[in-house]
Structures are given as C-alpha cells and as structure tokens.
Amino acid sequence: MKKLILFIVMAIFCSVSMAQQEKFLVFEFMKVKDNQDANYWETETFWEKIHAERVKNGEIKGWDLWSLKPGGAEQAYQYVTVTIYNDAVSAMEAGDIWEAAKRAYPLISDVDLENIIQKGDESRELSKRMFVSIIAVTDDDFEMELGSVMKMNFMDVLPGKSKEYETAEKNVFLPKFQKLVDKGILGHWALARVLMPSGSKVKTTHLTFDMYDDFKHYFEAYDFEELAILDSKAQLKEDAALKLRDLNWTYVGVLVKTEKFHPTVKK
C-alpha cells in the first residue's frame, strides 16, 4: 500500500513538473526598412517598459527582441519579438496591453500615449505572427544574456507525419544535441510545435532552436565534427527522420533586448 501511495505521489509530482516546464510562445516577425531602423529601435525601447510591467503583473513570463542576421532589405524579416506565456489561453488572449502601457507611462496622457503607439507602428510592418508550444528541450542550465545567439530552423513536416516526426526528433536528434550540450559545444536546443497558423498553405509546422553564448561560440560549433560515426542502424533512423520534413529556412538571431521575471541578463 505504501509503495502504491508513493507511486501516485511521484506520478502527480512528475505531471506538475512537466506542466511547469511547458512554454507557450508568440513570435512576431518584423519587416523594417533600412531608413527606419533607428525609429524602430526607439519603438521597441518604448515597448520594452510596457513589457516589463506585464512581467511584473504576471501577465507574461518574459519578452525578447532578436535582431535577425544577415539583415538588409532583401531579407524577409529583420527582427523578431518573442513573448513567453504561462499557458495557451493567455497567449491567445494577450492580456490588457493598454493598462500595462498606462502603468508604464503614468505621466503621459491617453491621447499622447495613443499617438506614440501609432507613430511606432509606422516604423515597422508586422509580417507574421506564430503561436508555438515547446515540446522538447535539452537538459541544461543555459542562461540567455544580451548577445546570445539563436539559430531558428523552420520545418515543414509532411502531411499526417507530425507525431512520427516529433517522436524522431525526441528519440534520434535530442540525444545527439544533449551530447553537444554536455560537451559545451551547444548551449541549449528546443523543439517547438506551431499551434497557429495552420493549414495546407502554411509552410512551417515546427521550429527547432539552437542556442549559443555568442557568435564566437556559434562559429566554434561549425568547426566541430560529428561526435561519432553512426553505425548503419542509427544512420538509417536518422535518414528516415530527415525525410519526414523539409528544412525551409534558417535565421540566426542575436538577443538585443529582454525582460524576464527572473532576469539573468547583464544590461
């Protein structure tokens, strides 16, 4: 009986722990013209204080601004903001941003606040919004600081193959990335499922993220050869997993602004 009770308690504890680890993110990809870059920076600096209020109020868990490389007018997006929520419902509802803005800028009138926000909207074009959930991560103590580098891989999984693909990522690739993390070659790795948008015309169903301390760490990883030569059985599994999806696009971003509930960022 005692063993049964202990098992039930452990099962509940594990369920709670897994729920706490689950993250829901909203990615907003921005198009910014070269001649608007300074104005856009002012806009996000203004919004940074609002997001800080949202973090304090428990409305969001965090907010980041990433500068996408190499940049330039021909690149589809130049920046992406990432907002971290406690649950999927909060991510969809987004909270009361206007109230957060008034808390952040109590000395600015409502009319002036609206004008500032409207003017800021003119500095960039919100081209794409994606709601995602993190479904697998490496075991690590990676802490993002300003200057951290993120490699974002946009995956399009074959129709009807999502579960098979996610299982392959967890069973085939996650162990490999965990070894890279353990050796310090990689800071962190995560797999995300795109919740919205969806449909046959949406070319991104999943994302993976490779995290590095900085660009030095990022380029050092390029010089690293495979951990070990795969045996024929493992190679077949990896080849089969790769056929489940198309790698449509890769962006590299550098963290330029962040607000977190437990800040680890050196500003």
Side-chain angles (χ1 to χ4, degrees):
M1 184 67 180
K2 288 182 179 180
K3 288 183 178 180
L4 177 60
I5 293 173
L6 179 61
F7 173 79
I8 294 172
V9 170
M10 288 300 294
I12 294 173
F13 175 79
C14 291
S15 298
V16 173
S17 178
M18 288 301 291
Q20 289 174 340
Q21 290 175 6
E22 192 170 11
K23 291 182 180 179
F24 294 88
L25 313 177
V26 176
F27 285 78
E28 294 181 316
F29 294 87
M30 309 292 184
K31 278 186 179 180
V32 179
K33 295 180 180 179
D34 290 343
N35 62 356
Q36 287 292 322
D37 202 70
N39 292 334
Y40 176 69
W41 184 258
E42 289 183 9
T43 296
E44 290 297 359
T45 300
F46 173 82
W47 275 95
E48 184 178 13
K49 194 171 179 180
I50 297 173
H51 294 308
E53 285 296 322
R54 299 175 73 199
V55 171
K56 286 180 187 176
N57 200 41
E59 191 175 297
I60 61 176
K61 294 176 70 175
W63 171 87
D64 301 326
L65 173 64
W66 298 80
S67 174
L68 300 177
K69 306 300 179 184
E74 292 187 3
Q75 184 167 307
Y77 317 109
Q78 288 71 41
Y79 292 91
V80 61
T81 63
V82 183
T83 309
I84 307 165
Y85 290 88
N86 292 308
D87 53 71
V89 173
S90 298
M92 293 299 297
E93 293 179 344
D96 195 334
I97 295 176
W98 177 249
E99 284 301 317
K102 291 199 291 185
R103 290 196 308 270
Y105 298 99
L107 301 181
I108 300 179
S109 70
D110 288 1
V111 173
D112 289 340
L113 199 56
E114 286 181 357
N115 289 336
I116 293 171
I117 291 173
Q118 184 176 357
K119 184 179 178 182
D121 288 343
E122 297 171 0
S123 67
R124 86 289 189 273
E125 175 188 338
L126 173 55
S127 297
K128 178 185 290 187
R129 180 182 284 122
M130 297 173 67
F131 296 80
V132 310
S133 64
I134 302 297
I135 58 176
V137 296
T138 49
D139 181 13
D140 57 71
D141 57 359
F142 182 77
E143 295 184 356
M144 288 193 311
E145 298 182 355
L146 296 180
S148 293
V149 171
M150 170 176 64
K151 183 180 178 185
M152 305 174 59
N153 303 299
F154 293 69
M155 307 292 187
D156 183 20
V157 175
L158 297 177
K161 296 292 184 180
S162 285
K163 287 187 177 180
E164 187 178 347
Y165 164 74
E166 291 173 6
T167 299
E169 283 282 10
K170 294 173 184 177
N171 295 341
V172 178
F173 293 106
L174 177 55
K176 290 184 66 174
F177 288 118
Q178 186 63 57
K179 289 180 181 178
L180 292 173
V181 167
D182 294 341
K183 288 182 174 288
I185 297 161
L186 180 66
H188 175 76
W189 177 89
L191 168 66
R193 179 192 300 134
V194 177
L195 302 177
M196 294 179 69
S198 60
S200 60
K201 294 187 181 297
V202 177
K203 296 303 180 184
T204 302
T205 62
H206 293 77
L207 296 164
T208 61
F209 308 99
D210 309 333
M211 307 293 297
Y212 302 89
D213 294 331
D214 48 33
F215 273 117
K216 182 176 183 294
H217 190 198
Y218 172 79
F219 285 113
E220 283 176 347
Y222 266 81
D223 296 331
F224 182 77
E225 296 181 358
E226 288 291 334
L227 286 167
I229 298 174
L230 296 174
D231 59 42
S232 57
K233 187 176 181 180
Q235 187 64 61
L236 285 173
K237 287 183 178 179
E238 187 166 309
D239 292 344
L242 292 172
K243 291 178 181 178
L244 296 172
R245 89 302 188 263
D246 289 327
L247 174 57
N248 284 338
W249 198 268
T250 293
Y251 277 105
V252 174
V254 58
L255 184 63
V256 293
K257 286 183 180 295
T258 187
E259 291 293 338
K260 294 284 189 297
F261 184 70
H262 296 293
T264 59
V265 178
K266 298 175 181 177
K267 293 189 176 181

